[in-house]
Amino acid sequence: DLKVDLKAPGSEGEYEGIWNLRSPDGEYLLNYISVKIKVVEEEAPAEKADLLITEFSLNPNPPTMGENVHVRVRVKNQGGIDAGGFKMEWYGLDTFADPSCTWNIIGGLVADGSVLMECDFVFASWYPSPKTTIAYVDVDDDVDESNEGNNSASIGGFSVLAP
């Protein structure tokens, strides 16, 4: 067995290396071993948008049953290209069947741009701790993103207080 670690040249092209194998006393064991490699440049990955929730807050936190809570959700496009239109949703509790607030971002977001969406909501019931509220961006998966796994944010461990 013969093992040789080789490193490809850094520039595109075809390369050949010729090796001779000798014994410790200098006798040639093989006439030559030829190694041919072709180096091709990797294509750069396609630039994509990447929507990320960078701010998510409730005011007051914790909310009080029957009183207004103000919700803020900021989304940033941290990707390299503009994102087309998308939908955002906020669920007062992650157990709610329907969103408490919905926003349609019709024009999308430019690369490195952000948008702050706000809404007001009143919890009709008292919910003891621990509860979780959650916000989603690109709900319908309209934007082809470099990271599809970072499209939500949550605040957990709170109660909706009784008045």
Side-chain angles (χ1 to χ4, degrees), residues 65-98:
M65 179 185 92
E67 295 181 14
N68 188 62
V69 62
H70 188 74
V71 181
R72 293 171 54 101
V73 181
R74 181 181 303 275
V75 174
K76 180 177 182 179
N77 177 4
Q78 63 182 8
I81 65 168
D82 296 354
F86 57 92
K87 183 165 72 170
M88 298 169 53
E89 292 178 344
W90 169 69
Y91 289 77
L93 297 179
D94 62 353
T95 55
F96 286 1
D98 297 312

Side-chain angles (χ1 to χ4, degrees), residues 6 32 35 40-41 44 50-51 89 98 101 110 125 149:
L6 300 174
Y32 70 90
V35 177
V40 294
E41 285 190 40
D50 186 18
L51 301 174
E89 292 178 344
D98 297 312
C101 297
V110 297
S125 299

Side-chain angles (χ1 to χ4, degrees), residues 56 58 71 89-92 99-101 103 119 121 123 133-135:
F56 179 32
L58 304 178
V71 181
E89 292 178 344
W90 169 69
Y91 289 77
S100 305
C101 297
W103 304 278
C119 73
F121 182 77
F123 286 92
T133 181
I134 192 161

Side-chain angles (χ1 to χ4, degrees), residues 80-145:
I81 65 168
D82 296 354
F86 57 92
K87 183 165 72 170
M88 298 169 53
E89 292 178 344
W90 169 69
Y91 289 77
L93 297 179
D94 62 353
T95 55
F96 286 1
D98 297 312
S100 305
C101 297
T102 301
W103 304 278
N104 289 305
I105 313 303
I106 303 298
L109 275 178
V110 297
D112 205 38
S114 69
V115 62
L116 174 65
M117 303 308 294
E118 300 178 87
C119 73
D120 293 306
F121 182 77
V122 175
F123 286 92
S125 299
W126 172 75
Y127 297 95
S129 175
K131 295 297 181 206
T132 300
T133 181
I134 192 161
Y136 297 98
V137 62
D138 196 21
V139 173
D140 297 328
D141 202 23
D142 292 324
V143 179
D144 184 20
E145 298 181 67

